[in-house]
Structure formats: C-alpha cells, structure tokens
Amino acid sequence: QQQVKQSPQSLIVQKGGISIINCAYENTAFDYFPWYQQFPGKGPALLIAIRPDVSEKKEGRFTISFNKSAKQFSLHIMDSQPGDSATYFCAAGYNFNKFYFGSGTKLNVKP
Amino acid sequence: DAGVTQSPTHLIKTRGQHVTLRCSPISGHKSVSWYQQVLGQGPQFIFQYYEKEERGRGNFPDRFSARQFPNYSSELNVNALLLGDSALYLCASSLQTLRTGPGANVLTFGAGSRLTVL
C-alpha cells in the first residue's frame, strides 16, 4: 500500500506563476512532513517541512498547507522561476527518520 | 564543511554479483539512513542506523544488509544482484539523538551511488 500519494506527476508553469503540488497520506501516526527538491544528478535537498499541529508554514516563496482531517498537504511555489525547475518530493515520517516518499513531481518553469 | 559523501558515484555490475556502497555522514551526525531510488520514483527506505545499531528496516529482501562503523560511516551491501536492483542508492545523515522527538531531525542526502546491473 502506497503510504504517500503525490500529484501531479509533471507540471508546467510560466515564470511568475504559482506551482501547486499535492500529497495525501494514510498513516495518522506520521508527525513530520518534509518537501524535498532534487536536481538531476543530485540527491534530494530539504526545502521546507511542517508538523501536523500547524496548518501552514511559509518560507520565502515556498508555503506548505496542511489539512490534518483530510490527511493532505500541499506545496505552493509563488512567483515560480526557471531555477525552480526540478523534481519535488513530498514525504511523511515518524520514529527516527523512516520516511515514506511520494512518487515525485517534475516541475518545468518556462521563461 | 563537507556534506554527505558517497562512493562510488557510478558502478556497473552483472547479475549474481555483490556490491558494497559506502557513505560518510556529515561530521557530528550519528545517524545514517539508506534509500533506494528507482528511476522516475521517489526514494524508498532501506535501513537506518544510529550509534552503530539498526533502528529501522524497510521492505527489502535479506540480500540487502548494512552496518555502521565507530566513526559513524556506513556500508550498504547487496548480494546476488538482480536487474531490478538497478537504482540510485542514497545515503542520508542526521543529527539524531534519542532525546529529540520523532520528526525533529533533518535528513541531509548525499548525491548517491548509481548502480547499473546488467
């Protein structure tokens, strides 16, 4: 059973637009929800993360919205830039770093 | 300050062979985790070690094994390689302490070891 489901698989956004990536999880025991950004040939890098006791977290142009009752969370990238073009993964975890990752969203921001 | 370093970066093996992948965590990090990332998919948890003890194991066959050394570096071993083992193997370290709550630790990933099994 897939613990974390991510959509869309790919996303094309114009420069300056808003990119939105959605994730849903199954296990209510998860207590940490990070988003990772991965460029080709590199390992994933932490972008932003949220705990379930908070409904929203903002860091610069990146915002996580969290809906505990719906078991859903999303990443919003405001004023998207071509340099944001990468693959984004949501994840959920508990108990010493055993994280479950979504299948990834390949974002292409067109100039 | 050096990040998580992994070696080798690329390697090619044939079916039935075994492979050893190595990881050096960030200085001061005592926890190392291994993930498998098949092309086009998200990373899948294989193992987590803290203070040289296995703290978690994912849904992988016994052909996969790992260990952590006194200097906190780690090795991932895969025996009897199958074509399906072809993937990017990622190592991540974190400043895990038993006194911090779950979810309090940030995973820092290395660039990975790209394994191709022919």
Side-chain angles (χ1 to χ4, degrees):
Chain A
Q1 183 186 12
Q2 196 174 355
Q3 296 273 2
V4 179
K5 295 181 181 179
Q6 183 173 346
S7 63
Q9 189 174 7
S10 62
L11 184 60
I12 299 174
V13 173
Q14 290 295 127
K15 179 183 175 182
I18 302 174
S19 303
I20 302 175
I21 305 171
N22 300 300
C23 284
Y25 64 96
E26 292 295 325
N27 192 336
T28 55
F30 290 145
D31 68 347
Y32 187 63
F33 301 87
W35 284 88
Y36 284 86
Q37 180 189 56
Q38 187 175 29
F39 292 103
K42 303 286 187 182
L46 179 68
L47 197 59
I48 187 173
I50 198 168
R51 299 289 298 269
D53 52 351
V54 176
S55 61
E56 185 175 281
K57 184 175 182 180
K58 184 176 181 180
E59 288 183 2
R61 296 184 295 108
F62 301 92
T63 300
I64 299 179
S65 297
F66 189 85
N67 186 330
K68 189 174 181 179
S69 60
K71 295 191 288 185
Q72 295 175 347
F73 58 112
S74 60
L75 175 69
H76 292 63
I77 305 174
M78 313 299 287
D79 187 27
S80 299
Q81 299 297 312
D84 297 331
S85 297
T87 300
Y88 292 81
F89 294 96
C90 61
Y94 62 97
N95 285 348
F96 304 113
N97 303 323
K98 182 178 181 178
F99 285 99
Y100 296 88
F101 283 76
S103 53
T105 296
K106 189 170 184 180
L107 172 64
N108 184 9
V109 181
K110 290 192 172 294
Chain B
D1 206 13
V4 177
T5 57
Q6 293 187 242
S7 63
T9 54
H10 295 83
L11 68 166
I12 300 173
K13 294 283 187 179
T14 57
R15 282 177 295 175
Q17 287 189 310
H18 73 274
V19 66
T20 298
L21 308 177
R22 296 177 176 83
C23 172
S24 292
I26 291 173
S27 178
H29 284 193
K30 298 182 178 180
S31 176
V32 169
S33 299
W34 287 95
Y35 285 78
Q36 180 196 64
Q37 186 176 20
V38 174
L39 195 63
Q41 296 183 19
Q44 269 199 295
F45 175 78
I46 309 175
F47 288 109
Q48 197 248 349
Y49 278 79
Y50 172 69
E51 289 282 15
K52 302 178 286 295
E53 290 188 10
E54 182 183 302
R55 296 290 181 170
R57 173 185 285 254
N59 189 23
F60 280 81
D62 292 343
R63 299 184 295 108
F64 289 76
S65 64
R67 55 179 175 168
Q68 186 176 33
F69 298 99
N71 66 353
Y72 303 110
S73 67
S74 178
E75 279 183 358
L76 176 70
N77 294 281
V78 186
N79 293 323
L81 285 167
L82 303 174
L83 295 179
D85 295 331
S86 295
L88 179 68
Y89 288 86
L90 295 162
C91 173
S93 74
S94 65
L95 191 62
Q96 178 74 53
T97 70
L98 291 177
R99 281 175 290 183
T100 56
N105 298 283
V106 173
L107 287 181
T108 302
F109 283 90
S113 294
R114 172 75 62 188
L115 171 65
T116 301
V117 182
L118 301 177

